[in-house]
Amino acid sequence: MQSPGDQDLGIARVIRAHRAATPEIDRVVLLSAGGLVLCADADSRPADAERLAALASSLMSLTRAAARAYTGGHIDGVAITMDRHQLCLAPVDEHTSVVVLADAACDTGHVAYVAAMMSSEIASLLDTEARGRLGRFFLQAG
C-alpha cells in the first residue's frame, strides 16, 4: 500500500505526464465533490485552481443531479466547448473528479480522452483504504 505522500507524488506525476503529452492543455485540477483543490498542475496559480475547482464542482453536481433525475446512470464525463477554451470533467470516484481546461484548437474528443485517462490512472493510485481515510474529508455531491 502506498502512503498518502506517495499517492500525492503519483497523482502529480500523472498530471505532469498528460500535460506534457498534450501541450494544448492549459490547466488540470483534481477536486473533491465539495470543490476543494486536491492537486493542481504546477502552472496553476492557487486562486485560479480554486476558481476552476469551484466551477467544475458545481457543474459535476448539476450533472449528477440530472443523471439521477432522468435515471441516466453513471457519468463518464462532461465536455463544454467555448470560443477560446474547452472544459472536460471526468469523475475519479463519487468523491473526486479531474477537470481539464484546454485550448479550443485542441480536438474535444482528445481532451475528453486525456481527462478520462488521468481519471483512470488516479483512481488506480487511490486504494480502498486510502479512500476510506480521505473520504471523511470530502463533501458528498448534491
Side-chain angles (χ1 to χ4, degrees):
M1 177 181 67
Q2 295 179 330
S3 72
D6 292 341
Q7 290 166 343
D8 292 346
L9 292 174
I11 291 168
R13 192 171 25 254
V14 166
I15 290 171
R16 271 195 314 275
H18 285 287
R19 282 223 43 218
T22 311
E24 298 88 358
I25 291 177
D26 294 329
R27 301 279 185 270
V28 178
V29 176
L30 177 68
L31 63 131
S32 74
L36 300 174
V37 175
L38 303 175
C39 185
D41 61 275
D43 294 336
S44 290
R45 293 188 325 255
D48 287 342
E50 289 171 8
R51 181 177 54 205
L52 184 58
L55 292 168
S57 174
S58 297
L59 289 169
M60 190 55 82
S61 180
L62 180 61
T63 303
R64 286 186 170 124
R68 281 192 305 273
Y70 296 103
T71 59
H74 175 76
I75 298 163
D76 293 324
V78 176
I80 299 171
T81 58
M82 300 170 259
D83 286 342
R84 294 186 187 102
H85 292 96
Q86 301 176 46
L87 187 67
C88 290
L89 293 102
V92 173
D93 59 22
E94 66 275 4
H95 302 293
T96 54
S97 298
V98 171
V99 60
V100 176
L101 183 68
D103 188 87
C106 191
D107 178 65
T108 303
H110 181 69
V111 176
Y113 173 77
V114 170
M117 291 302 298
M118 279 192 272
S119 171
S120 176
E121 291 173 29
I122 290 168
S124 71
L125 291 170
L126 299 174
D127 62 27
T128 305
E129 185 178 325
R131 288 174 198 237
R133 276 195 319 272
L134 297 173
R136 67 181 178 270
F137 297 110
F138 299 133
L139 300 174
Q140 296 296 319

